Amino acid sequence: MTPPQRKRRRPRPELATPPLPSAPPTPESGGEDGDNKNPERLYVISGADGARAELDLVTLIVARAAPPPSVTPEQAALLRLCLAPLSVAELSAYLNLPFSAMTALITELITAELVQARAPIVRQALPDRSLLEAVMHGLQKL
């Protein structure tokens, strides 16, 4: 007895995917979403040696000085944003760069002593007992 033979399916024309464009969108056109993303630029930003500072998404970055003329445009933008303390996640969102590229930029600025990295402010795990007693006494007086 021979097994049943399968019939080869043919794609239906209404479900066929449209052909891919022959050339990728140019940076001047901005692509589909209108922003200029250039993946080669991120490779250039990431640095030569690959050494990175120990940064977290909530690490606060503060600029120590105004941007000197020798820094890259991304580093100058980062220094202008960091006049007040900002987290690495906020900087990544404002500059529209991934976290890995931000850590490379910030590492270079830390080694050049242009920015300072601060640990985030951590609240106490347990509330102060005197504060709880004051709240309790205030509620009892009501």
Side-chain angles (χ1 to χ4, degrees):
M1 182 169 185
T2 60
Q5 300 293 320
R6 292 187 175 187
K7 291 183 179 180
R8 176 171 248 167
R9 291 191 223 173
R10 302 209 187 268
R12 296 190 312 212
E14 64 270 5
L15 298 178
T17 58
L20 296 174
S22 59
T26 59
E28 293 82 23
S29 67
E32 293 179 5
D33 52 359
D35 56 351
N36 296 327
K37 294 196 178 206
N38 192 351
E40 292 84 15
R41 188 71 177 138
L42 292 178
Y43 177 76
V44 173
I45 290 173
S46 65
D49 61 350
R52 304 278 170 92
E54 292 293 324
L55 298 173
D56 196 5
L57 284 173
V58 293
T59 303
L60 298 176
I61 307 296
V62 183
R64 290 184 170 183
S70 62
V71 297
T72 63
E74 293 84 9
Q75 290 174 339
L78 193 143
L79 286 169
R80 284 191 298 271
L81 284 172
C82 290
L83 294 176
L86 286 176
S87 69
V88 177
E90 290 173 313
L91 291 170
S92 177
Y94 288 144
L95 295 177
N96 199 19
L97 291 173
F99 177 72
S100 58
M102 285 304 302
T103 55
L105 281 173
I106 294 170
T107 300
E108 291 174 4
L109 292 173
I110 288 173
T111 55
E113 297 181 353
L114 293 173
V115 296
Q116 177 183 9
R118 295 182 187 170
I121 300 170
V122 180
R123 294 185 180 188
Q124 292 180 342
L126 298 173
D128 186 24
R129 184 177 175 93
S130 61
L131 175 67
L132 290 176
E133 289 176 353
V135 171
M136 184 178 71
H137 290 304
L139 289 173
Q140 287 174 347
K141 288 181 182 178
L142 293 175

